[in-house]
Amino acid sequence: MPMDDQADDIPQGLVVPGLGNESRRAALWAFLVVSVLSGLALVWPVYPLAVDLTPYVFGLPFSFAWTVGWLVVMFVALVLLYRTDAPDPAD
């Protein structure tokens, strides 16, 4: 049995389910942007700007509220990404 027949079954490049669907692609890009912004907001050079502030937000120091706030943003982004996923017809 030649190996060439099986080579067509192996995906090439970046494989992300749902990229063929335009609305799903937009949701994935939006999630990627929010993820990158969240990551940048929690590391140098952005996070030290939040550490130096002294106000309290809901009784939490600003640096802790900043981290919790971005955690909430990522949770909402994941929920919205999950809701864009079409259910499998086999389910």
Side-chain angles (χ1 to χ4, degrees):
M1 181 183 277
M3 293 296 285
D4 294 334
D5 293 336
Q6 295 176 356
D8 293 337
D9 296 338
I10 299 172
Q12 300 293 321
L14 181 64
V15 179
V16 178
L19 283 181
N21 185 346
E22 282 296 322
S23 64
R24 179 77 171 148
R25 183 178 304 159
L28 286 170
W29 275 109
F31 179 74
L32 178 67
V33 168
V34 170
S35 298
V36 169
L37 288 176
S38 173
L40 291 175
L42 295 173
V43 296
W44 183 87
V46 179
Y47 185 74
L49 299 174
V51 173
D52 293 336
L53 298 176
T54 56
Y56 284 84
V57 179
F58 299 117
L60 299 172
F62 187 78
S63 61
F64 189 64
W66 178 264
T67 304
V68 170
W70 281 105
L71 180 67
V72 170
V73 167
M74 282 305 301
F75 174 75
V76 169
L78 279 170
V79 167
L80 293 175
L81 181 66
Y82 175 76
R83 291 181 56 106
T84 63
D85 195 15
D88 190 14
D91 287 343

